[in-house]
Amino acid sequence: MTGVVPQKPVLEGRDLTKHFHVGGFFSPTVVKAVQGSSLSLYPGYVVALVGESGSGKSTIIRMLARLYEPTSGEIYYEGEPVFHNSNHKRELDYRRKVQMIFQDPFSSLNPVKRVGYHLERPMILHHKMHKKEALRRSALELLQRVALTPPEEYIEKYPHQLSGGQRQRVAIARTLAVSPRVILADEPISMLDVSIRLDILNLMEALRRDMNIAFLYVTHDIASARYFADEINVMYAGYIVEKANSEELIQEPKHPYTQMLLSSVPDPHRGLRTGEGEVTGEIPDLTTLGKGCPFAPRCKHAMDVCQESMPPRTQLSETRWVRCYLY
């Protein structure tokens, strides 16, 4: 972790909101997946987005990747707004510079194409490389960079001939093929064996350090966020409810939901700590959210005001804020 926030963000999401309209014509329902959330990503800096399944993390990352268009809010790349109807050249440049690593490495790779194809195809599309010798040489260099060695042994294999960790390394190498400035990693280790998760995190840490890449790391595992990220944003029911640098948030969590997440992390030094941080219930139905704090039904500190309106952001320091009436 660098610990120092750079001055200018390379990618920003400002007040992003995403509503999905589901159900039939006569009974339309609105799923409020993300509500007014903002993130800033900096070169060589890792921002983590942490929360339970269904909290809206993947929706944010898909908006930044331009797979979903925001219902409202804006995305800025290098200080310039990114529009849905931008010209083709600008759109292509954005998709080249902002790459995504998916949760399931097997489904993100074409099962009938060899590893070499997956690495060469983006170089053909974005760098206009067509000479076979140059393409193969670059593909071998990418495999070397993600520690698949000797690279000649992997370039002709199919995805099913690789382990889960090897497939994820290929997926990471594919993002590097277009020289990205930003990598959006959507739970990149959650489907991997525990024994190789640390290797993938260390690989991404090396890429951040050596290539000055900005990372958004989406995870439900706050322990891995502490290990990899400089900054942690905690998300609940479509809202980002707390933001702080990683160590500060871990050592002194403010929001009751953050405290709940940390209490669920195994710690051999503290034992079970029965009852501490224990919270019952589940994430609320995003189609029936009221006007108050969505965590209030699960919070032991809930007050009347919590039922009436969503807490505003309370700035605790220059780099830290929380959305909770306790502060």
Side-chain angles (χ1 to χ4, degrees), residues 114-116 136 143 151-158 161:
R114 299 178 191 271
V115 167
R136 184 175 176 85
L143 291 173
E152 294 83 3
E153 184 178 312
Y154 293 95
I155 197 167
E156 298 298 333
K157 288 188 175 182
Y158 291 95
Q161 296 175 309

Side-chain angles (χ1 to χ4, degrees), residues 79-143:
E80 296 293 325
V82 177
F83 297 109
H84 176 54
N85 294 319
S86 58
N87 64 66
H88 178 69
K89 183 177 180 181
R90 188 175 178 186
E91 181 77 14
L92 206 61
D93 182 62
Y94 182 88
R95 294 187 182 278
R96 178 171 68 87
K97 293 297 188 181
V98 181
Q99 288 287 304
M100 187 167 175
I101 303 171
F102 293 90
Q103 181 178 10
D104 182 358
F106 189 75
S107 64
S108 70
L109 301 173
N110 189 329
V112 299
K113 297 293 185 180
R114 299 178 191 271
V115 167
Y117 170 89
H118 291 92
L119 303 183
E120 293 171 6
R121 183 67 177 165
M123 291 187 280
I124 294 171
L125 292 175
H126 292 280
H127 293 314
K128 308 303 179 185
M129 293 176 61
H130 296 286
K131 293 184 178 181
K132 290 184 178 180
E133 298 82 2
L135 284 168
R136 184 175 176 85
R137 183 169 60 252
S138 295
L140 291 172
E141 290 173 357
L142 287 169
L143 291 173

Side-chain angles (χ1 to χ4, degrees), residues 1 24 94 98 123-124 140 176 183 230 265 288 297 327:
M1 299 184 295
Y94 182 88
V98 181
M123 291 187 280
I124 294 171
L140 291 172
L176 300 179
I183 289 181
D230 300 289
V265 177
T288 59
Y327 306 94

Side-chain angles (χ1 to χ4, degrees), residues 133-309:
E133 298 82 2
L135 284 168
R136 184 175 176 85
R137 183 169 60 252
S138 295
L140 291 172
E141 290 173 357
L142 287 169
L143 291 173
Q144 187 85 34
R145 180 176 285 276
V146 298
L148 286 176
T149 55
E152 294 83 3
E153 184 178 312
Y154 293 95
I155 197 167
E156 298 298 333
K157 288 188 175 182
Y158 291 95
H160 72 271
Q161 296 175 309
L162 303 174
S163 69
Q166 290 169 343
R167 284 194 290 265
Q168 196 63 292
R169 288 176 186 273
V170 171
I172 293 171
R174 181 177 56 185
T175 70
L176 300 179
V178 292
S179 306
R181 295 202 64 199
V182 179
I183 289 181
L184 310 172
D186 189 8
E187 305 226 28
I189 64 171
S190 65
M191 297 190 70
L192 304 179
D193 292 340
V194 174
S195 59
I196 58 175
R197 290 179 182 179
L198 186 59
D199 290 340
I200 298 299
L201 287 177
N202 286 337
L203 170 61
M204 293 192 296
E205 165 63 23
L207 296 176
R208 174 273 285 271
R209 182 184 64 246
D210 298 341
M211 301 179 68
N212 206 34
I213 293 174
F215 269 90
L216 176 58
Y217 175 59
V218 169
T219 181
H220 61 270
D221 178 13
I222 199 167
S224 68
R226 177 188 188 182
Y227 179 81
F228 180 46
D230 300 289
E231 171 191 306
I232 295 177
N233 292 256
V234 179
M235 193 164 193
Y236 184 80
Y239 293 93
I240 296 178
V241 296
E242 184 170 3
K243 169 199 163 183
N245 71 60
S246 298
E247 202 57 36
E248 185 179 13
L249 183 135
I250 297 297
Q251 296 297 335
E252 202 175 351
K254 298 297 187 183
H255 198 280
Y257 178 62
T258 308
Q259 295 169 8
M260 184 204 79
L261 288 179
L262 284 166
S263 72
S264 66
V265 177
D267 185 342
H269 299 293
R270 73 180 183 206
L272 293 177
R273 296 207 304 188
T274 304
E276 183 173 339
E278 184 178 343
V279 179
T280 59
E282 299 178 354
I283 283 185
D285 184 348
L286 298 183
T287 65
T288 59
L289 286 178
K291 57 184 179 180
C293 174
F295 190 65
R298 303 173 68 183
C299 182
K300 63 184 179 181
H301 304 290
M303 301 171 282
D304 289 343
V305 67
C306 302
Q307 316 289 343
E308 297 168 2
S309 63

